[in-house]
Amino acid sequence: YYDSSTYSTQKVVLDAFNLFSVNINQKFGKNVEAFVNVNNLFNTSYTDVIGYTTKPRNITLGVEYKF
């Protein structure tokens, strides 16, 4: 961690954390596939890099069609 008030670096130990995500894909016939992704399933608050916020739970939905 860089401390701009003293122009020096400081050693920082971050707390351990676990993140859980779920990905589900389902094919519908030969050309269509739907998916759901849930990241940070339990909405864990954690620090990955000092000074930066981390992502809360987020969900992605989608459909893919192949020609």
Side-chain angles (χ1 to χ4, degrees):
Y1 171 71
Y2 178 72
D3 186 353
S4 61
S5 64
T6 61
Y7 303 105
S8 64
T9 57
Q10 307 219 355
K11 188 174 184 174
V12 175
V13 177
L14 300 175
D15 294 334
F17 60 90
N18 293 303
L19 293 177
F20 294 89
S21 298
V22 174
N23 302 313
I24 300 171
N25 293 30
Q26 178 65 50
K27 282 192 171 191
F28 298 98
K30 186 176 166 184
N31 299 334
V32 179
E33 184 174 352
F35 63 89
V36 177
N37 300 325
V38 181
N39 298 308
N40 196 359
L41 183 63
F42 301 115
N43 205 24
T44 302
S45 180
Y46 63 98
T47 302
D48 192 20
V49 178
I50 295 291
Y52 291 89
T53 57
T54 52
K55 290 184 178 182
R57 178 186 309 118
N58 59 80
I59 301 171
T60 305
L61 305 169
V63 176
E64 180 179 322
Y65 179 80
K66 294 182 182 178
F67 293 94

